[in-house]
C-alpha cells in the first residue's frame, strides 16, 4: 500500500470533529492519524483496499497506539526500560538494566519554556499559552495570537504541546502541527513568537 501523504481539504460535521479531538487527546495521537486510520478501515471493508503490504497496518488494534505527528517530524525516543525509583530528595531515576548500566538515569521533573530571554517553569498539568492574561499562564501580546492559543499538557510523565483551535496554529520545523510530544531543545513558533523547551 502506498504510504505517501499529501495535504487534503475536506468538510466535516462539528460533532464528528469534536469526537476525533477527544479521541486524539485520550489516545495521544494526532487527528491526522485517526482520520487516516478510519478511512483505511472503511475502504478496506468496502473492498477498495484488498491487499496491504506487511507492516502497513496502522496499529489500530494496539492498546497503546504510538504518537504520530502531522508534521512527520522526528520520532520521540521510546520510554526508558527498567524500574523507576523515587529518592529522598524528591527526584526520580530509572535503573536501566537492559544495558547492564549500574548508573541510574535521572528523569527530569520540571519543563521550562524559554521566551524573550526569560525562563518559565511549567508547573501545571495544563499550562495555557495565549493572548489574554487572565486566561493564560504565559501571555503573548500579539493580535495574531488567539485568546487561548495552545496548551502544554503533562500526561503519564511526558509533556505535549497541543493547538487549542487557534487561527494561526503552532509551527515546528517549518510545518504546522496539531500536537507533539516535547523533547529536550524542541523549538516551536506561535506566529513570530519563538518558544524553546528545556528540562535544564
Amino acid at each position: 500500500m502506498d504510504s505517501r501523504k499529501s495535504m487534503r481539504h475536506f468538510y466535516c460535521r462539528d460533532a464528528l470533529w469534536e469526537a476525533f479531538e477527544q479521541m486524539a487527546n485520550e489516545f495521544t495521537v494526532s487527528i491526522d492519524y485517526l482520520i487516516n486510520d478510519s478511512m483505511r478501515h472503511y475502504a478496506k471493508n468496502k473492498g477498495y483496499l484488498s491487499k496491504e503490504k506487511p507492516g502497513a497496518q496502522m496499529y489500530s488494534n494496539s492498546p497503546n497506539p504510538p504518537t504520530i505527528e502531522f508534521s512527520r517530524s522526528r520520532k520521540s525516543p521510546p520510554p526508558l526500560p527498567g524500574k523507576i525509583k523515587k529518592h529522598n530528595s524528591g527526584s526520580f531515576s530509572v535503573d536501566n538494566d537492559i544495558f547492564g548500566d549500574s548508573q541510574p538515569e535521572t528523569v527530569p521533573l520540571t519543563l521550562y519554556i524559554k521566551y524573550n530571554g526569560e525562563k518559565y517553569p511549567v508547573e501545571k498539568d495544563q499550562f495555557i499559552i495565549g493572548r489574554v492574561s487572565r486566561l493564560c499562564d504565559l501571555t503573548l501580546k500579539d493580535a495574531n495570537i488567539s485568546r487561548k492559543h495552545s496548551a502544554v499538557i503533562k500526561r503519564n510523565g511526558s509533556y505535549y504541546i497541543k493547538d487549542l483551535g487557534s487561527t494561526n496554529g503552532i509551527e515546528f520545523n517549518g510545518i504546522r502541527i496539531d500536537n507533539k510530544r516535547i523533547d529536550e531543545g524542541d523549538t516551536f513558533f506561535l506566529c513570530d513568537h519563538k518558544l524553546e523547551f528545556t528540562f535544564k
Side-chain angles (χ1 to χ4, degrees):
M1 188 173 94
D2 192 344
S3 61
R4 290 176 299 173
K5 286 186 180 180
S6 300
M7 182 72 79
R8 298 286 191 263
H9 180 80
F10 69 99
Y11 292 94
C12 176
R13 292 186 182 276
D14 290 346
L16 185 58
W17 186 261
E18 288 167 7
F20 273 115
E21 283 186 324
Q22 184 179 350
M23 291 166 64
N25 284 331
E26 290 178 3
F27 299 140
T28 320
V29 296
S30 67
I31 294 177
D32 172 58
Y33 166 83
L34 291 175
I35 292 173
N36 274 273
D37 199 29
S38 301
M39 290 191 297
R40 184 183 68 84
H41 277 294
Y42 186 79
K44 187 177 179 183
N45 288 339
K46 295 296 181 181
Y48 289 93
L49 291 178
S50 55
K51 294 181 180 179
E52 292 189 68
K53 292 180 182 178
Q57 190 170 358
M58 297 180 72
Y59 307 98
S60 58
N61 297 323
S62 170
N64 297 303
T67 301
I68 309 294
E69 278 84 43
F70 177 80
S71 63
R72 289 179 285 177
S73 58
R74 59 188 173 84
K75 293 181 181 177
S76 300
L80 294 168
K83 297 178 180 178
I84 297 177
K85 292 183 178 180
K86 184 173 182 180
H87 304 285
N88 291 335
S89 62
S91 64
F92 292 83
S93 65
V94 177
D95 283 335
N96 214 349
D97 296 332
I98 194 168
F99 299 112
D101 189 352
S102 58
Q103 286 287 84
E105 278 192 59
T106 302
V107 177
L109 295 178
T110 305
L111 176 67
Y112 296 91
I113 302 173
K114 293 166 72 175
Y115 171 67
N116 267 0
E118 298 289 331
K119 208 170 175 183
Y120 301 88
V122 177
E123 297 175 320
K124 300 167 67 175
D125 288 343
Q126 187 164 308
F127 185 96
I128 306 297
I129 304 168
R131 188 180 76 244
V132 179
S133 57
R134 63 183 173 80
L135 301 176
C136 302
D137 301 293
L138 175 58
T139 307
L140 309 181
K141 294 293 186 183
D142 184 338
N144 294 312
I145 296 292
S146 296
R147 289 159 57 86
K148 292 171 72 173
H149 197 102
S150 64
V152 176
I153 299 167
K154 186 176 182 181
R155 186 185 178 100
N156 297 329
S158 295
Y159 291 89
Y160 300 84
I161 190 165
K162 174 83 173 83
D163 185 11
L164 297 178
S166 66
T167 302
N168 294 309
I170 304 167
E171 191 176 290
F172 178 73
N173 285 347
I175 299 173
R176 183 166 174 166
I177 61 167
D178 176 71
N179 66 83
K180 184 193 177 298
R181 172 174 159 167
I182 298 170
D183 297 313
E184 172 62 37
D186 275 356
T187 299
F188 301 90
F189 281 88
L190 277 58
C191 300
D192 293 327
H193 302 271
K194 179 181 178 181
L195 304 179
E196 184 179 345
F197 290 80
T198 182
F199 293 99
K200 299 175 182 177

